[in-house]
């Protein structure tokens, strides 16, 4: 079993040319700066994983911007959807993105580690959800992985972090169906999420989770206000090192 490196970015919030920038800050040069650094320093990586909110409006034109950015990136990339994405428009621009039962989710094995890409987009609203079809698919993937280590990439974290306006938008888990799947699993399992525009880590349902900050703007930590405030922090990316069942996740600010 060899060591492996995965690159990770999330919450790009790209817009098409002429569209107002989110929070008046152009997301594209920030993404370019990150990808240039990844290209310079990590050409040995096995994957680049993008955990959703790839674009701001979900328009076809905004996905074309992403396609142009990624088209000569030298490392195989994987796309997930977030609450800002639109599956149909994404698939129009990226027709080879794997789809399982209508959802943008699939799994692959990397030298004994199972990588699961989970679609947590809700039918309506900005929170996350997993319908019975997705839960059944996930259960089958976990069963297939058996005692092997698993990484589950997903946009919405299932946990409340103490910021009320974000906590309302987390992955909802009615009847604890998702947490029961995880609690039933003894083998090493790691959740990797976006959505919060903050770096957060901890444990949920018996397994560690990590939330990665955005390549766009970070959110200020505030447990009191009911409003979200962004600040002009540096774009962030993740460098994940795998060695057997060991996982190291570096959250890196592109300075
Ligand atoms: Fe999001």
């Amino acid at each position: 079993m060899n060591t492996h490196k995965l690159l990770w970015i999330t919450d790009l919030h790209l817009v098409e040319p002429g569209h107002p920038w989110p929070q008046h800050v152009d997301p594209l040069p920030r993404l370019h700066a990150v990808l240039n650094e990844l290209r310079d320093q990590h050409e040995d990586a096995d994957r680049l994983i993008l955990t959703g909110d790839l674009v701001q409006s979900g328009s076809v034109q905004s996905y074309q911007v992403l396609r142009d950015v990624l088209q000569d990136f030298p490392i195989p990339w994987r796309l997930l959807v977030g609450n800002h994405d639109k599956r149909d428009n994404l698939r129009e621009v990226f027709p080879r993105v794997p789809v399982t039962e209508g959802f943008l989710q699939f799994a692959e094995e990397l030298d004994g580690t199972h990588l699961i890409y989970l679609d947590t987009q809700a039918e309506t609203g900005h929170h996350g959800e997993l319908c019975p079809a997705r839960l059944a698919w996930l259960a089958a993937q976990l069963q297939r992985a058996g005692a092997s280590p698993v990484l589950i990439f997903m946009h919405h974290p299932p946990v409340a972090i103490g910021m009320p306006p974000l906590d309302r938008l987390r992955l909802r888990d009615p009847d604890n169906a998702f947490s029961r799947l995880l609690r039933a699993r003894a083998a090493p399992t790691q959740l990797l999420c976006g959505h919060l525009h903050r770096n957060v880590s901890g444990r949920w349902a018996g397994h560690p989770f990590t939330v990665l900050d955005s390549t766009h703007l970070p959110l200020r930590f505030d447990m009191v206000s009911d409003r979200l405030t962004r600040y002009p922090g540096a774009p962030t990316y993740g460098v994940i090192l795998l060695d057997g069942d060991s996982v190291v996740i570096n959250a890196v600010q592109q300075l």
Side-chain angles (χ1 to χ4, degrees):
M1 201 174 285
N2 300 309
T3 59
H4 289 278
K5 182 191 283 184
L6 312 177
L7 307 176
W8 178 19
I9 58 175
T10 194
D11 295 82
L12 288 59
H13 292 276
L14 292 175
V15 294
E16 64 262 39
H19 190 282
W21 298 331
Q23 281 73 47
H24 311 290
V25 173
D26 188 353
L28 189 55
R30 296 171 66 92
L31 176 62
H32 275 304
V34 165
L35 292 180
N36 286 341
E37 192 160 301
L38 295 179
R39 210 184 255 117
D40 288 348
Q41 298 188 12
H42 303 289
E43 64 175 358
D44 57 335
D46 296 279
R47 299 284 183 278
L48 169 68
I49 296 153
L50 296 81
T51 46
D53 281 2
L54 308 173
V55 301
Q56 177 72 3
S57 72
S59 68
V60 167
Q61 292 82 358
S62 58
Y63 288 114
Q64 288 168 341
V65 172
L66 179 62
R67 182 188 61 196
D68 292 347
V69 169
L70 289 176
Q71 70 179 0
D72 62 348
F73 195 74
I75 297 159
W77 36 265
R78 303 288 184 256
L79 304 181
L80 282 82
V81 287
N83 45 300
H84 281 264
D85 291 295
K86 292 205 166 73
R87 294 188 193 99
D88 289 350
N89 290 345
L90 189 157
R91 290 178 63 193
E92 188 175 325
V93 179
F94 296 96
R96 287 191 293 184
V97 166
V99 175
T100 306
E101 296 177 36
F103 298 104
L104 263 83
Q105 56 187 20
F106 72 109
E108 61 181 336
E109 191 183 335
L110 179 67
D111 200 14
T113 295
H114 288 247
L115 308 178
I116 297 177
Y117 307 98
L118 191 56
D119 181 335
T120 58
Q121 189 183 80
E123 205 165 318
T124 57
H126 285 279
H127 66 283
E129 66 187 25
L130 291 170
C131 55
R134 282 178 279 184
L135 285 163
W137 178 83
L138 176 63
Q141 301 312 312
L142 293 175
Q143 181 135 28
R144 182 170 301 158
S148 302
V150 165
L151 305 186
I152 302 177
F153 291 92
M154 51 198 284
H155 183 70
H156 296 82
V159 65
I161 66 157
M163 286 179 61
L166 282 181
D167 294 345
R168 286 195 291 273
L169 301 182
R170 71 182 186 272
L171 179 81
R172 294 181 188 163
D173 190 25
D175 306 323
N176 301 314
F178 181 46
S179 61
R180 274 190 281 116
L181 270 182
L182 292 176
R183 286 194 189 283
R185 187 174 160 75
T189 304
Q190 175 93 32
L191 306 181
L192 303 102
C193 315
H195 189 47
L196 303 184
H197 293 231
R198 294 199 53 79
N199 294 315
V200 188
S201 60
R203 187 172 57 221
W204 185 80
H207 295 281
F209 70 85
T210 299
V211 182
L212 186 69
D213 197 349
S214 164
T215 60
H216 193 232
L217 296 180
L219 282 171
R220 194 174 296 282
F221 186 68
D222 185 343
M223 296 181 71
V224 178
S225 172
D226 211 41
R227 292 191 53 195
L228 295 172
T229 314
R230 287 161 178 83
Y231 65 96
T236 296
Y237 62 85
V239 178
I240 304 168
L241 306 176
L242 305 177
D243 187 1
D245 69 356
S246 141
V247 180
V248 172
I249 303 171
N250 297 283
V252 184
Q253 286 197 314
Q254 197 279 323
L255 299 172

